[in-house]
Amino acid sequence: MQESRLFKIVYYLLDKGPVTAAELAERFEVSVRTIYRDIDALSSAGIPVYTEAGRNGGIHLLSDFVLNQIVLSGQEKQEILSVLQGLSTVSNGYGTDMLEKLSALFNVHSANWLEADFSRWGEKNRDNGKFEILKTAVLQRRCITIRYAGSDGTVGERVIQPLKLYYKSKDWYLKAYCRLRQEFRLFKINRILEWELSEEIFEPMFFPELPDIRGQEYDNIILRFSKTAAYRVYDEFDLNQIRIEKNGSLTVTADMPEDHWLTGYLLSFGGEVEIIQPLHLKDKIAAMAKEIYEKNKT
């Protein structure tokens, strides 16, 4: 246990820089006295760790210290290789050569048990190329000009400062600061129609936690789906939101935003969905379905 904690202390110091003994004690759930004993043990083992008194003091590692060997368990090595295998399909940065080198370095053979492909059918090269450009923009903090299709139906050009790629509920998003709107926004990557990487560098910034990606209130909605639509229901709703009726239909109770996306989503089910609650949404969908009928009848 002590040996494991000693390595974790070294990793923590490498990551965080100078810290107090009290901070280490809280982090590793031991006493301050135990931390000082651990520091003595590390120093005796040749690790250049030292303590400094005063207001800006604390426990330090020499600034140029690096671990000469990768100290990882067999399971940790296997997990690293598995994660890189999964990412290899969406990033050209994790190729076969890198995986082979790490396998040799770790002396671990990683079974190819996972394949992940986040690109759309028929769009692999374009989607993965876009992903690579966006990843480069995030890592190098470079502005990017995009042509974006908004949820309101408009398509426009804007300059953004990309901060992080974000995967949520089967879709990729880009967390970024939008200069046009002068606010932090989430951009759905599939709606980025064109993109051009700039040489302009921006200062690092923190993307705030947003209460809701749509910026709207959620309403309690009850839907009843026919049993032939069960495959979509299980794809898109959690099991605890679904109740199976005696006739095989499925009743779903979920908090959803009443917006343009929701009406389009419900219409995509055609006659396989019935809106139980709220009644005003039922009337709205019926009116939209009637309008569709009038436009397309022969």
Side-chain angles (χ1 to χ4, degrees):
M1 177 65 183
Q2 183 190 18
E3 181 180 352
S4 174
R5 187 174 65 247
L6 293 179
F7 280 120
K8 290 178 180 178
I9 289 174
V10 174
Y11 293 141
Y12 193 80
L13 293 173
L14 284 169
D15 182 46
K16 301 295 184 181
V19 297
T20 65
E23 181 180 341
L24 289 174
E26 181 179 359
R27 173 68 176 80
F28 296 105
E29 299 180 345
V30 295
S31 68
V32 171
R33 180 176 296 181
T34 297
I35 289 297
Y36 281 121
R37 284 201 298 264
D38 289 344
I39 298 305
D40 288 340
L42 288 170
S43 181
S44 298
I47 304 296
V49 58
Y50 63 97
T51 60
E52 185 176 357
R55 182 177 180 181
N56 297 318
I59 298 173
H60 302 250
L61 283 170
L62 288 181
S63 58
D64 58 351
F65 171 72
V66 293
L67 285 173
N68 293 325
Q69 296 182 355
I70 298 176
V71 186
L72 298 169
S73 69
Q75 181 177 351
E76 288 169 335
K77 294 174 183 178
Q78 185 69 63
E79 290 294 333
I80 290 172
L81 291 174
S82 295
V83 169
L84 292 179
Q85 283 177 344
L87 288 175
S88 63
T89 56
V90 296
S91 174
N92 295 328
Y94 304 110
T96 302
D97 289 346
M98 178 185 288
L99 292 172
E100 288 179 350
K101 289 176 182 177
L102 284 177
S103 294
L105 178 65
F106 292 163
N107 193 25
V108 170
H109 173 71
S110 180
N112 192 11
W113 67 278
L114 173 67
E115 182 175 352
D117 188 349
F118 298 109
S119 62
R120 293 166 292 181
W121 292 104
E123 297 289 338
K124 184 179 181 68
N125 291 336
R126 179 174 169 82
D127 281 352
N128 287 348
K130 182 197 304 185
F131 191 96
E132 280 296 305
I133 293 295
L134 296 178
K135 183 188 75 172
T136 298
V138 170
L139 292 177
Q140 297 182 5
R141 297 200 307 274
R142 291 164 63 182
C143 295
I144 189 168
T145 301
I146 63 172
R147 186 165 168 265
Y148 188 72
S151 58
D152 58 357
T154 62
V155 176
E157 185 177 287
R158 59 188 76 188
V159 177
I160 62 173
Q161 298 172 191
L163 305 177
K164 185 179 291 187
L165 289 163
Y166 177 59
Y167 187 74
K168 173 73 173 178
S169 186
K170 299 184 294 185
D171 286 304
W172 280 102
Y173 297 87
L174 180 66
K175 290 184 174 183
Y177 180 80
C178 177
R179 289 185 176 176
L180 177 66
R181 305 296 184 189
Q182 294 190 353
E183 62 183 4
F184 294 95
R185 302 290 292 268
L186 275 176
F187 296 95
K188 195 169 185 178
I189 290 183
N190 284 345
R191 294 185 195 158
I192 298 177
L193 308 180
E194 297 175 9
W195 53 93
E196 183 177 355
L197 189 60
S198 167
E199 295 299 324
E200 181 184 352
I201 305 297
F202 61 88
E203 292 297 319
M205 59 182 68
F206 175 74
F207 189 92
E209 291 297 327
L210 299 179
D212 183 275
I213 66 170
R214 302 179 193 280
Q216 299 182 11
E217 295 293 330
Y218 279 67
D219 297 312
N220 188 256
I221 294 174
I222 301 177
L223 309 169
R224 183 162 296 142
F225 297 90
S226 66
K227 59 184 179 182
T228 55
Y231 71 99
R232 283 191 64 184
V233 175
Y234 289 121
D235 276 348
E236 298 167 24
F237 294 96
D238 192 76
L239 194 59
N240 61 20
Q241 298 174 307
I242 303 169
R243 185 178 73 247
I244 302 175
E245 308 294 348
K246 291 182 179 179
N247 64 356
S249 63
L250 300 95
T251 300
V252 171
T253 302
D255 292 330
M256 305 176 76
E258 286 195 44
D259 58 8
H260 182 71
W261 171 86
L262 178 62
T263 54
Y265 173 74
L266 294 176
L267 286 170
S268 72
F269 283 91
E272 294 184 315
V273 63
E274 176 188 0
I275 300 167
I276 307 300
Q277 176 184 305
L279 293 180
H280 70 265
L281 180 60
K282 186 183 187 80
D283 294 338
K284 184 177 182 179
I285 293 297
M288 294 179 71
K290 183 178 180 180
E291 183 181 354
I292 293 171
Y293 169 75
E294 292 296 332
K295 287 182 177 179
N296 292 279
K297 68 179 181 179
T298 56

